[in-house]
Structure formats: structure tokens, C-alpha cells
Amino acid sequence: MSRAIIIEDNLAAEQHLRANLLQHCPTVEILDAAATVVQGAKIMRQHQPDLLFLDIELPDGTGFDLLDILGDWSGRIIFTTGLDDQAIRAFRYAAVDYLLKPIESEELVAAVARAQQLQGQRREQHRLLRQVSDPQAALPTRLALHAQDRIQLVEIKDIIRLEAESNYTSFFMASSKRLLVGKTLKGFAELLEAHGFLRVHQTHLVNPAFLTEFIKTDGGYLQLSEGTKIPVSVRRRQLVMDYLSSLG
């Protein structure tokens, strides 16, 4: 059983979330709710919950301000938001759980299940989230991943390649480590293509820093520095050729 607090300044949104939790998440006990940073800090200290549903924009500050006040509180957080694509991109980089308003019951159930199972580096995730949320910030150099039962933070420059495996994605790292992440390749492609990664096949995303050769025979494939051969699809062939031409 998880003991939960809701921080939400929109009464209708709070009531909708409560109703969804009562109906679909019997392992969650709602202890209390608040609409501001100040009220939220007070009830968080009073109840010390395991789980926090946290809106980003509040009348007297932001959800980040509340996290600063809470300091070393070690519970799990699910952000609730109606914000734009920039915010969603930030959530994805930091691998934090978030729900878009109006909240769908299936997404709520999945987020609660993850929050109850995962361990990880909450403080590092939120530092990364705050960094990426700044519209003026440079591209982040790190990526947080839901790998098995924990959160793993990795340096983007150390990712050699990604490979799709059904609804999972395998990350192959320069350290020879392999991380299996419960998310499709498409979501990571949207983030990592901004860092120059190449989607060379439906199931392959490659860091060109590890590319040594493009072999045109046998249908076309890339040779990577650690020895892997990655196929290049017919419709992605021109992407690879354009990239190689840009180097000259």
C-alpha cells in the first residue's frame, strides 16, 4: 500500500485524479491534498507519504520549489501537467513519471505501478529535469533510463547504439554494458537525433562517433568501432550518405 499526497491547484483536476485513484489504484491511499507550495510543504512534513502527485505550475511557485523545500524526502513522485512539448521533452530526458491532463486511467495505473517498483537516483533525475526544463539551456549531456528495477543515469556520449526489441530498447554502452529499457526506440530517437544520432534502420539508432565504415555491399551496413555491423535500410541509405558527405 502506498500513502499518497496530491498537490494540485485546479480543484476539478484534483477531484478527477482522486476518483481515478479510488477506482483504479486500490493500493494507493490518499492522505491529503494541497493547492500551493506552502500548503504542500506543510502536509508533506506532517504525513511523510510514499508517493506524491505533483503539479508543476502552482499559485505561489512551482513543483520544483516544493522539492527544494522537501530536501532529502525519499518517496516517489509522479508529475501531473498540462504543459507543452518542451516540458514533455524534459520529462523524457529525466525519465520521471508524468501524466498529461486530463489524466487517462490506463496511464495512471501504469505510472503508479512503476513508482511502486522502481528504485533510483531521484535527486539526480530532478536536477536533470530542472536543467532541461529551462528553454535557454543547452542540450543535456546525460539521459536517465528506466532500466529493469532502477533508474540508470548515462552519459549520452558513451552510448554506442540503440536497438529495438519489441516494446523494449537495448542500449549498448562504451563500457560494454547493455541496458534493457522498457520504452520503444521511437521515443529515444526523438531525443537523441538532436545529439546527432542516426536512425539508420527501423530497429537501429547509432551514435556516429563510433562509426568507422559504411559498406555498400550486402544491402549496405555500418561498421562500428567495437566490431558491430548495423544494417542500413534502403530508405535510410540517403541519410547515411548525406551524413558522410557533411564530414568532407
Side-chain angles (χ1 to χ4, degrees), residues 1-5 21 25 27-28 49-54 73-79 95-99 106-122 125-126 146 148-151:
M1 178 69 73
S2 294
R3 302 163 65 253
I5 292 289
L21 286 167
C25 301
T27 61
V28 175
D50 310 305
L51 181 60
L52 173 62
F53 293 91
L54 180 60
W73 175 71
S74 59
R76 299 297 306 174
I77 300 170
I78 298 174
F79 291 93
V96 296
D97 280 304
Y98 69 95
L99 296 167
E106 289 184 2
E107 294 177 359
L108 174 62
V109 170
V112 167
R114 285 192 300 269
Q116 292 174 331
Q117 294 171 3
L118 286 170
Q119 305 171 18
Q121 306 183 32
R122 184 178 63 85
Q125 282 177 276
H126 296 156
H146 280 198
Q148 295 177 331
D149 65 342
R150 64 190 63 249
I151 302 297

Side-chain angles (χ1 to χ4, degrees), residues 18-86:
R18 276 181 180 270
N20 253 329
L21 286 167
L22 288 170
Q23 182 175 356
H24 300 288
C25 301
T27 61
V28 175
E29 176 190 2
I30 306 167
L31 301 175
D32 207 343
T36 67
V37 171
V38 173
Q39 293 170 354
K42 181 178 179 180
I43 65 171
M44 286 293 293
R45 287 169 174 158
Q46 177 184 350
H47 295 289
Q48 292 295 313
D50 310 305
L51 181 60
L52 173 62
F53 293 91
L54 180 60
D55 192 9
I56 299 294
E57 299 292 340
L58 298 167
D60 57 345
T62 70
F64 298 124
D65 297 325
L66 177 59
L67 295 180
D68 287 341
I69 294 170
L70 297 179
D72 291 331
W73 175 71
S74 59
R76 299 297 306 174
I77 300 170
I78 298 174
F79 291 93
T80 59
T81 182
L83 297 178
D84 57 16
D85 291 343
Q86 169 70 21

Side-chain angles (χ1 to χ4, degrees), residues 52-224:
L52 173 62
F53 293 91
L54 180 60
D55 192 9
I56 299 294
E57 299 292 340
L58 298 167
D60 57 345
T62 70
F64 298 124
D65 297 325
L66 177 59
L67 295 180
D68 287 341
I69 294 170
L70 297 179
D72 291 331
W73 175 71
S74 59
R76 299 297 306 174
I77 300 170
I78 298 174
F79 291 93
T80 59
T81 182
L83 297 178
D84 57 16
D85 291 343
Q86 169 70 21
I88 294 171
R89 174 175 167 271
F91 291 137
R92 289 174 176 168
Y93 265 108
V96 296
D97 280 304
Y98 69 95
L99 296 167
L100 292 177
K101 303 174 189 174
I103 295 170
E104 299 290 336
S105 57
E106 289 184 2
E107 294 177 359
L108 174 62
V109 170
V112 167
R114 285 192 300 269
Q116 292 174 331
Q117 294 171 3
L118 286 170
Q119 305 171 18
Q121 306 183 32
R122 184 178 63 85
R123 181 175 293 182
E124 288 297 323
Q125 282 177 276
H126 296 156
R127 186 177 292 125
L128 177 58
L129 177 59
R130 185 190 290 269
Q131 172 196 344
V132 186
S133 296
D134 182 356
Q136 307 303 318
L139 283 174
T141 60
R142 305 178 83 192
L143 182 65
L145 303 173
H146 280 198
Q148 295 177 331
D149 65 342
R150 64 190 63 249
I151 302 297
Q152 183 82 40
L153 275 80
V154 301
E155 296 291 335
I156 292 174
K157 65 180 178 59
D158 293 334
I159 302 171
I160 298 175
R161 64 186 183 92
L162 290 74
E163 183 173 347
E165 298 185 22
S166 186
N167 291 325
Y168 293 82
T169 300
S170 283
F171 278 71
F172 294 85
M173 308 299 298
S175 63
S176 298
K177 189 172 185 178
R178 174 177 172 268
L179 300 172
L180 184 63
V181 181
K183 185 184 291 186
T184 64
L185 183 63
K186 179 181 178 182
F188 292 116
E190 293 171 357
L191 296 180
L192 293 175
E193 284 174 350
H195 292 262
F197 281 59
L198 302 175
R199 183 79 177 269
V200 299
H201 190 277
Q202 183 178 358
T203 58
H204 293 282
L205 185 69
V206 173
N207 183 348
F210 295 91
L211 171 61
T212 59
E213 293 181 284
F214 175 41
I215 310 300
K216 297 181 181 179
T217 57
D218 298 328
Y221 64 89
L222 300 178
Q223 180 74 52
L224 303 186

